């Protein structure tokens, strides 16, 4: 199936006079049309920077896409003129941010915030855009009669529903959802995710779901990419990665989850911290924390091995099979 999004060898840095933060380091991934890709990893793995790169929203002059290609429906995002990119942003590719309060304008009614997006991107007259705003609110489970209310009159979960309504109002082809439910409490999280997943199916939207929650990936995604220090270290279908996790970091992420089927007093967290992005280790970036690291790992950066679409960046795997398996 054709990829709607294809990122190759993306490198993104943030620089100051004193240092360079290597946020994304040769990341490659693709997303098939109509599918949901989960992007997982700890804070600082480069997940949000990757999404901002797709929208050409990496903040210059400190932030810079140093190299790589980002193809959206075969078009090179990096080659678009600013006015062309403004058309793509919000209409063809939309983003949902983690905190609804930063995404909503507290001084404008929620209905007007949705209507304004529709007017800007689709050129609908005021009356039609207001009607669309009411329909979108109903779709996310909020009565259209509340379109004249302001953000502060809504709970956290309702505000995030409004943000989702804004993101989907122009029926984007690609949705980048950055930890869309992290700021919500657990029961509201489940409701919002269920609603999102129904709307994604209804509209046939392709989605990159950024999360640190493997449970959300298991329930909502088709494919999963594990990110570590600005690289994708494992990629595959949810069945491949959850059924047979291969990269020691992915295995570590699973080990740090509670297992309800087994009695255990303790979780097994991954020892150590994500490396300093201004001073990444030589060799494999995971080597200082990896229980299986060898001398080779400390000296040589691993490349991708692939078997049946299941990709792993680790010296233990050559030709897709674990050495010695
Ligand atoms: Fe661990 Fe070496 Fe594989 Fe890196 S390359 S994940 S250090 S075994």
């Amino acid at each position: 199936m054709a990829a709607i999004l294809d990122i190759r060898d993306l490198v993104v840095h943030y620089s100051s006079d004193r240092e360079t933060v290597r946020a994304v380091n040769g990341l490659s991934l693709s997303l098939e049309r109509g599918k949901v890709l989960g992007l997982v990893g700890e804070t600082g793995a480069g997940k949000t920077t990757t999404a901002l790169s797709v929208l050409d929203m990496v903040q210059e002059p400190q932030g810079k896409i140093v190299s790589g290609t980002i193809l959206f429906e075969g078009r090179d995002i990096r080659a678009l003129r600013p006015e062309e990119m403004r058309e793509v942003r919000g209409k063809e590719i939309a983003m949902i941010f983690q905190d609804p309060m930063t995404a909503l304008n507290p001084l404008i009614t929620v209905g007007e915030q949705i209507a304004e997006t529709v007017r800007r991107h689709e050129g609908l007259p005021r009356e039609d855009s207001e009607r669309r705003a009411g329909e979108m609110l109903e779709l996310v489970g909020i009565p259209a009669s509340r379109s004249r209310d302001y953000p502060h009159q809504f709970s956290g979960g309702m505000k995030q529903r409004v943000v989702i309504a804004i993101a989907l109002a122009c029926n984007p082809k690609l949705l980048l959802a950055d930890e869309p439910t992290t700021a919500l409490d657990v029961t509201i999280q489940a409701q919002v995710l269920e609603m999102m997943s129904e709307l994604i199916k209804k509209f046939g939207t392709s989605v990159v779901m950024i999360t640190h929650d493997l449970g959300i990936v298991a329930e909502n995604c088709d494919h999963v990419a594990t990110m570590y220090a600005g690289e994708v270290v494992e990629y595959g279908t949810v069945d491949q990665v959850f059924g047979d996790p291969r990269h020691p970091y992915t295995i570590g992420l699973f080990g740090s989850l509670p297992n309800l089927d087994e009695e255990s007093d303790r979780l097994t967290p991954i020892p150590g911290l994500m490396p300093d992005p201004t001073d990444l280790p030589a060799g494999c970036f995971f080597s200082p924390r990896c229980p299986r690291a060898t001398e080779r790992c400390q000296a040589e950066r691993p490349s991708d091995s692939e078997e049946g679409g299941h990709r792993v960046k680790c010296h233990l795997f050559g030709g897709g099979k674990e050495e010695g398996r």
Side-chain angles (χ1 to χ4, degrees):
M1 198 184 283
I4 187 163
L5 178 69
D6 194 12
I7 306 177
R8 292 281 140 219
D9 303 319
L10 181 68
V11 176
V12 186
H13 290 171
Y14 294 94
S15 302
S16 69
D17 295 342
R18 295 199 342 257
E19 57 191 15
T20 297
V21 173
R22 292 163 62 192
V24 177
N25 298 296
L27 172 140
S28 297
L29 58 81
S30 64
L31 168 64
E32 289 174 17
R33 193 176 293 278
K35 299 284 184 190
V36 182
L37 167 71
L39 206 53
V40 294
E42 293 163 283
T43 303
K47 305 184 299 290
T48 299
T49 298
T50 302
L52 292 174
S53 303
V54 172
L55 284 169
D56 195 24
M57 281 174 63
V58 174
Q59 285 291 318
E60 293 189 353
Q62 291 87 358
K64 187 170 177 8
I65 298 179
V66 176
S67 57
T69 52
I70 302 171
L71 299 180
F72 169 64
E73 293 194 308
R75 279 179 291 167
D76 185 354
I77 287 281
R78 297 189 60 208
L80 295 182
R81 294 196 300 275
E83 61 273 23
E84 291 174 319
M85 195 59 220
R86 272 197 294 278
E87 272 302 295
V88 168
R89 209 182 285 131
K91 179 167 165 56
E92 296 189 64
I93 308 176
M95 184 153 176
I96 299 172
F97 292 92
Q98 190 178 123
D99 179 1
M101 271 327 280
T102 56
L104 295 173
N105 185 330
L107 303 175
I108 301 179
T109 64
V110 297
E112 178 53 20
Q113 294 191 53
I114 303 171
E116 204 254 328
T117 305
V118 177
R119 277 200 299 278
R120 188 170 64 228
H121 290 297
E122 297 193 2
L124 289 187
R126 176 164 289 276
E127 207 175 306
D128 291 353
S129 65
E130 285 172 357
R131 189 176 322 112
R132 173 83 67 87
E135 288 165 4
M136 289 309 300
L137 282 177
E138 295 274 351
L139 263 182
V140 297
I142 298 174
S145 58
R146 296 207 60 189
S147 63
R148 289 180 194 283
D149 289 347
Y150 290 87
H152 74 270
Q153 294 171 283
F154 292 85
S155 65
M158 299 273 264
K159 279 198 269 277
Q160 195 57 307
R161 285 169 187 262
V162 173
V163 171
I164 293 167
I166 293 173
L168 294 178
C170 295
N171 195 7
K173 294 172 182 165
L174 173 62
L175 180 66
L176 307 169
D178 187 3
E179 306 265 9
T181 57
T182 301
L184 309 177
D185 74 46
V186 178
T187 41
I188 306 295
Q189 256 188 27
Q191 288 171 11
V192 170
L193 277 171
E194 194 181 323
M195 179 216 74
M196 249 183 89
S197 137
E198 276 168 22
L199 288 178
I200 287 162
K201 279 200 201 102
K202 181 180 162 93
F203 290 121
T205 319
S206 313
V207 182
V208 176
M209 176 87 74
I210 296 173
T211 179
H212 58 266
D213 186 333
L214 288 165
I216 288 178
V217 175
E219 292 207 2
N220 298 280
C221 299
D222 302 294
H223 288 82
V224 55
T226 311
M227 274 191 77
Y228 189 79
E231 296 181 315
V232 171
V233 293
E234 181 156 6
Y235 171 90
T237 63
V238 165
D239 284 350
Q240 284 171 331
V241 176
F242 280 62
D244 180 20
R246 294 182 171 185
H247 194 281
Y249 178 62
T250 314
I251 293 169
L253 286 179
F254 282 110
S256 55
L257 289 179
N259 185 341
L260 299 181
D261 297 330
E262 284 174 18
E263 258 192 46
S264 167
D265 293 339
R266 304 182 75 86
L267 300 177
T268 319
I270 302 169
L273 297 171
M274 185 86 72
D276 177 354
T278 65
D279 186 22
L280 290 171
C284 172
F285 296 157
F286 189 55
S287 57
R289 303 171 76 185
C290 181
R292 303 188 65 183
T294 62
E295 272 182 29
R296 183 186 178 198
C297 301
Q298 278 147 19
E300 195 185 314
R301 248 177 109 177
S303 52
D304 284 325
S305 312
E306 198 239 310
E307 184 188 25
H310 190 172
R311 219 170 71 203
V312 190
K313 197 185 282 293
C314 172
H315 288 311
L316 292 173
F317 294 86
K321 292 260 188 274
E322 183 171 3
E323 284 170 11
R325 258 190 180 188

